[in-house]
Amino acid sequence: MIINKVTLYSHVLDEMRDFYVGELGFELHSQTDDGFAIKVGESVLEMKNYHLQDKPFYHFAINIPTNLFTSAKKWAKSKVELMKEDGVDEVHFSLSDAHAFYFLDPSGNIVEFISRYAVSPESQSKTFCARESLCISEINLTTDEVGGYRE
């Protein structure tokens, strides 16, 4: 799935812009007083300022070329700390034939980079950079209230 545009809200907008544009190297697509947007391959990821006391957070996935998974993971490890489960910093999804790794951004969003071997094309490049991202392919909304149940 290709998602054309996603709008997320953040309580630390300046840190988010510095992180995605300055640290990770995504292309700044647009900027206003209340937010900014970056290019993520064929998708646009927009961040808007959140003024309320809650601190929203999300999980989203970015498709990357299949032949650049190892390079992308090395690139990410030079910039962020990868999330680990049972001491392992990548996941293999055997049913969907994909590999993924995860990290947190300054808002606490869970960012996933995933290579889907059946559908993601290969790149002509030998090394990964943010411009090699293909698209946003997943977005999850996180809540502590499900079906009337509240933690």
Side-chain angles (χ1 to χ4, degrees):
M1 172 186 290
I2 296 173
I3 297 172
N4 292 323
K5 183 178 181 181
V6 171
T7 301
L8 306 180
Y9 292 87
S10 174
H11 62 288
V12 290
L13 197 63
D14 290 339
E15 289 177 42
M16 292 289 279
R17 186 182 54 250
D18 292 346
F19 178 74
Y20 282 98
V21 176
E23 182 66 28
L24 297 183
F26 283 94
E27 176 188 340
L28 186 64
H29 179 66
S30 63
Q31 186 168 333
T32 66
D33 290 341
D34 199 39
F36 69 96
I38 58 171
K39 286 291 291 172
V40 181
E42 296 180 44
S43 305
V44 172
L45 178 61
E46 179 181 48
M47 303 283 180
K48 290 197 163 206
N49 200 17
Y50 194 74
H51 303 287
L52 302 178
Q53 197 171 38
D54 292 343
K55 296 177 180 170
F57 68 97
Y58 312 88
H59 162 249
F60 60 95
I62 298 173
N63 279 6
I64 59 174
T66 57
N67 63 318
L68 294 183
F69 181 81
T70 301
S71 177
K73 186 176 164 187
K74 182 178 178 183
W75 168 85
K77 285 174 97 169
S78 75
K79 299 172 180 306
V80 297
E81 183 175 338
L82 298 185
M83 298 174 74
K84 293 182 180 180
E85 185 172 316
D86 297 327
V88 180
D89 63 5
E90 71 180 62
V91 178
H92 177 250
F93 300 103
S94 57
L95 291 177
S96 58
D97 195 21
H99 274 91
F101 61 85
Y102 303 81
F103 58 88
L104 298 176
D105 70 14
S107 277
N109 298 317
I110 300 170
V111 182
E112 175 182 359
F113 276 57
I114 185 166
S115 286
R116 301 171 193 275
Y117 296 99
V119 296
S120 295
E122 290 195 356
S123 172
Q124 297 300 316
S125 180
K126 300 289 185 209
T127 58
F128 183 84
C129 67
R131 290 184 312 276
E132 292 292 331
S133 300
L134 300 171
C135 63
I136 298 171
S137 60
E138 298 174 30
I139 178 70
N140 296 347
L141 305 177
T142 305
T143 182
D144 59 2
E145 194 171 334
V146 179
Y149 174 78
R150 185 177 182 98
E151 283 190 6

